[in-house]
Amino acid sequence: MKNTVFILLIFILAPFIKIQSQGLLQEKNNFTRQDTLRGSITPEREWWDLTYYHLDIEVNPDKKTISGQNTIQYTVLKPNQVLQIDLQAPLVLTKVTQNNNELNIKHDGNAHFVTLKEQQNIGDVNNVTAYYHGKPREAVRAPWDGGISWKKDSNGNHFVASSCQGLGASVWWPNKDHMYDEVDSMLISVTIPKGLSNISNGKLRKIKENEDNTVTSHWFVSNPINNYGVNINIGDYASFSEIYKGEKGDLDMSYYVLKDNLEKAKVHFKDATKMMKAFEHWFGPYPFYEDGFKLVEVPYLGMEHQSSVTYGNKYTKGYLGNDLSGTGWGLKFDFIIIHEAGHEWFANNITSIDIADMWIHEAFTSYSENLFLDYYYGKEASADYVIGTRRNIQNDRPLIGQYNVNNEGSGDMYYKGANMLHTLRQLVNDDNKWRQMLRTLNSKFYHQTVTTQQIEDCLAEESGLDLKGFFDQYLRTTKIPVLEYKIEDKKLNYKWTNTVAGFKMPIQIEINGNSQWLTPTEGNQVLNLKSKDAEVKVDRDYYIEVKTL
């Protein structure tokens, strides 16, 4: 009995463990100067536009150190002579140069302000090179706390990986660590001990064997990429690949796993092409054909690193073998493959400017789980799953965090967000139109950073609905709309309560088995009935509460 209770407790807590992304989804009200420097578009950031990175590093797994440099190319947008580079302690930024001239650095915690000697003229394309070294923060419980995971596989080989969402990419390399500005392209050069392989984003250009018993791999990313999406994955890897015939032609799909898991992966990773087929249907073409798609085994659960999605779900269906919905449908797919790959559309293609709007990433991607089910098992299975995930919702805080201080909203951005979108699908009431709306988001905001308001406006425009009160209700409060009704003298009296001002949401019900649309308001509405014994059933697809008076 004790074991049964323990297993049940772990199962119940699993989704909440998942959503504590990098430890930043916990409530925080006292913000520091460092929070502002990390989370705002400072004057020392706004004047220059990222165009290119060349990250060139050496990783020493035995010593748990990283050293090297990052060349940062940028276009000058307006005059300024001070540039902000971010790098988190205990790593040390040793120097920054421009045109071989060493520059003065003012260190302010994790933000480093570099004074440039040469005049920065509008339109100029310049670069600086940041040199650094040290022992980066070690991830204790990746990916939730973030950093570098220094592990070993069952054969005693080094097994190393980065994960840094929320915490920031500057935990392991120097960069412009704010999501509003994505670099246009990037070269990632990683030197490691011979006998191991490093897998990073994009496509492999070459591997060079060095005289000091090390090997350097060069990976090129030809599409814009957010900083936290950049990764290193080091291990004793074997690989296999296939060509997927997608909406934009041939897509290279590659898989890197520990050698002992190769045959197992060839069977289990079939969910990857199933994912691609379903998500191209719903969201449009995979956004990074030029860089291919990779699934890479790592020593933690997984993360949505662009074109290098990481995997550690132990070759099980569901979430480590559990169904987060409690319906059985969650065991029809590998949660990490489906969820983390779904982020290629929502997080990597469409990226929120401020982490306060991270619901854009997580709500749509959590919703993608049930769209995967919809594609293969039908609409009812899809509805069962997303409705089942409501048990994970806490309604502790709004889905939107506080802006300009690197603050995320509630972990409810996952499944409250998914149920909000499922509710919106009911309001659209046309699945073909709904699909086109999702595809429009990914084409209109292709490779862009966005705000919540842009997403709201696009969905309102494409649906033709007034959605201001809808989004204010679900994104900005913890209130769940309550439909109150009573039957009295052959009349159905009904209204919305617990709603924000301006909340307008029609709802579909059944009266004696016949479908009926209602348009409740905050004031009492009346519908004449044929019988005082009418049976009313509220559609379960709406994320609301129902109160019978």
Side-chain angles (χ1 to χ4, degrees):
M1 177 61 73
K2 289 183 179 178
N3 288 339
T4 302
V5 171
F6 177 76
I7 291 169
L8 179 61
L9 180 62
I10 291 297
F11 175 69
I12 292 171
L13 290 179
F16 301 115
I17 294 172
K18 170 69 173 76
I19 62 179
Q20 298 303 312
S21 173
Q22 309 299 339
L24 294 180
L25 294 184
Q26 300 167 15
E27 188 169 11
K28 180 177 180 180
N29 294 311
N30 298 317
F31 297 101
T32 66
R33 171 174 169 78
Q34 285 299 306
D35 293 323
T36 299
L37 290 176
R38 169 75 174 86
S40 62
I41 304 173
T42 62
E44 294 80 13
R45 282 174 169 159
E46 68 174 350
W47 67 269
W48 54 287
D49 176 49
L50 273 174
T51 56
Y52 179 75
Y53 284 137
H54 180 196
L55 179 62
D56 187 0
I57 60 174
E58 181 169 358
V59 180
N60 188 323
D62 288 327
K63 296 181 179 180
K64 297 184 178 180
T65 61
I66 297 178
S67 62
Q69 62 198 59
N70 185 28
T71 299
I72 304 169
Q73 185 185 84
Y74 61 91
T75 300
V76 178
L77 301 178
K78 59 182 180 180
N80 201 313
Q81 294 299 122
V82 181
L83 176 147
Q84 179 179 339
I85 294 176
D86 304 287
L87 183 67
Q88 298 179 34
L91 289 171
V92 178
L93 184 67
T94 54
K95 68 176 180 178
V96 178
T97 63
Q98 186 166 62
N99 294 330
N100 297 318
N101 294 314
E102 189 167 346
L103 306 173
N104 181 63
I105 307 172
K106 179 184 177 182
H107 303 281
D108 190 345
N110 297 326
H112 309 273
F113 297 96
V114 181
T115 300
L116 304 170
K117 295 180 180 180
E118 299 181 13
Q119 184 67 34
Q120 305 295 300
N121 300 309
I122 294 175
D124 284 354
V125 177
N126 300 326
N127 64 72
V128 295
T129 301
Y131 298 83
Y132 76 112
H133 67 84
K135 289 187 176 183
R137 168 173 165 167
E138 185 167 353
V140 178
R141 195 169 57 90
W144 301 284
D145 60 343
I148 302 295
S149 297
W150 305 98
K151 304 293 183 181
K152 290 191 176 181
D153 64 21
S154 60
N155 297 315
N157 299 304
H158 286 292
F159 195 21
V160 179
S162 61
S163 57
C164 56
Q165 184 183 18
L167 180 61
S170 55
V171 75
W172 67 277
W173 60 288
N175 59 81
K176 186 181 191 178
D177 207 358
H178 194 288
M179 294 197 301
Y180 90 99
D181 191 7
E182 295 186 348
V183 71
D184 297 337
S185 60
M186 181 175 185
L187 179 61
I188 306 166
S189 302
V190 182
T191 300
I192 58 174
K194 189 178 292 185
L196 298 173
S197 299
N198 171 68
I199 314 303
S200 289
N201 315 79
K203 289 195 172 182
L204 182 64
R205 276 189 167 176
K206 64 179 179 179
I207 296 177
K208 179 185 177 183
E209 293 191 3
N210 306 310
E211 294 181 356
D212 60 354
N213 208 35
T214 63
V215 61
T216 304
S217 59
H218 300 272
W219 296 84
F220 184 71
V221 183
S222 60
N223 287 289
I225 186 170
N226 56 58
N227 290 327
Y228 84 84
V230 177
N231 69 351
I232 53 172
N233 306 288
I234 299 167
D236 184 24
Y237 286 117
S239 67
F240 62 102
S241 62
E242 59 188 321
I243 300 296
Y244 177 78
K245 301 291 185 180
E247 287 196 13
K248 289 180 67 175
D250 289 348
L251 172 64
D252 292 329
M253 297 186 69
S254 302
Y255 312 95
Y256 293 84
V257 299
L258 295 180
K259 288 180 179 177
D260 288 351
N261 295 329
L262 180 60
E263 296 309 314
K264 185 192 307 183
K266 287 180 179 179
V267 176
H268 190 79
F269 283 2
K270 290 180 180 179
D271 268 3
T273 51
K274 290 180 65 178
M275 170 279 302
M276 194 64 68
K277 186 175 183 180
F279 289 171
E280 285 208 329
H281 169 82
W282 285 108
F283 303 140
Y286 174 68
F288 309 107
Y289 266 72
E290 300 83 357
D291 293 324
F293 174 88
K294 291 191 294 295
L295 200 57
V296 186
E297 187 172 2
V298 291
Y300 62 87
L301 188 61
M303 185 60 68
E304 67 262 25
H305 303 108
Q306 182 175 310
S307 72
S308 183
V309 174
T310 50
Y311 176 84
N313 201 38
K314 301 185 184 302
Y315 299 95
T316 61
K317 296 293 187 179
Y319 179 97
L320 292 172
N322 294 313
D323 174 11
L324 298 186
S325 75
T327 65
W329 289 112
L331 297 177
K332 297 292 186 182
F333 59 91
D334 186 307
F335 175 90
I336 291 299
I337 294 176
I338 303 309
H339 181 91
E340 303 304 346
H343 275 305
E344 293 280 46
W345 285 263
F346 294 97
N348 298 338
N349 184 41
I350 302 173
T351 308
S352 65
I353 287 175
D354 194 298
I355 205 167
D357 287 335
M358 203 174 88
W359 76 269
I360 298 168
H361 300 188
E362 300 300 348
F364 282 96
T365 303
S366 296
Y367 181 68
S368 77
E369 298 161 25
N370 65 285
L371 287 180
F372 176 86
L373 288 168
D374 191 307
Y375 188 84
Y376 288 104
Y377 299 98
K379 195 171 181 178
E380 285 304 305
S382 167
D384 285 346
Y385 179 84
V386 71
I387 292 168
T389 63
R390 290 176 188 172
R391 67 190 189 142
N392 304 325
I393 299 172
Q394 297 176 310
N395 279 312
D396 56 344
R397 292 182 289 127
L399 301 195
I400 296 177
Q402 298 189 50
Y403 292 103
N404 300 316
V405 286
N406 198 46
N407 176 247
E408 301 165 355
S410 168
D412 284 343
M413 68 177 73
Y414 289 76
Y415 291 121
K416 181 179 179 181
N419 275 279
M420 174 190 71
L421 294 173
H422 186 63
T423 301
L424 181 55
R425 180 180 184 178
Q426 314 314 309
L427 302 183
V428 173
N429 198 32
D430 181 336
D431 285 346
N432 288 329
K433 184 176 183 179
W434 178 238
R435 176 186 170 220
Q436 289 306 314
M437 288 170 62
L438 297 173
R439 292 173 68 93
T440 295
L441 284 174
N442 277 280
S443 59
K444 182 174 183 177
F445 300 118
Y446 181 73
H447 291 178
Q448 292 184 35
T449 59
V450 300
T451 64
T452 285
Q453 195 59 57
Q454 287 176 284
I455 298 297
E456 288 185 44
D457 290 346
C458 181
L459 290 172
E461 180 180 354
E462 294 300 315
S463 67
L465 301 172
D466 179 358
L467 297 176
K468 184 180 185 306
F470 175 87
F471 285 119
D472 284 346
Q473 180 83 30
Y474 286 106
L475 292 177
R476 298 178 175 89
T477 78
T478 59
K479 295 179 177 181
I480 302 304
V482 177
L483 179 66
E484 292 187 357
Y485 76 89
K486 66 178 179 179
I487 297 175
E488 187 176 61
D489 298 328
K490 297 175 65 173
K491 295 181 184 297
L492 176 66
N493 297 276
Y494 60 94
K495 64 180 179 180
W496 285 123
T497 61
N498 201 40
T499 55
V500 299
F503 182 77
K504 301 174 183 178
M505 187 170 80
I507 189 166
Q508 199 166 33
I509 66 170
E510 285 187 1
I511 302 176
N512 292 334
N514 296 314
S515 181
Q516 172 76 46
W517 281 93
L518 301 180
T519 54
T521 65
E522 292 180 348
N524 190 58
Q525 302 288 305
V526 178
L527 177 68
N528 293 320
L529 302 173
K530 295 180 181 180
S531 167
K532 64 180 181 179
D533 298 321
E535 181 180 353
V536 175
K537 181 180 179 182
V538 179
D539 191 332
R540 67 178 186 141
D541 289 311
Y542 294 81
Y543 179 47
I544 63 169
E545 295 177 358
V546 179
K547 183 177 180 181
T548 305
L549 301 177

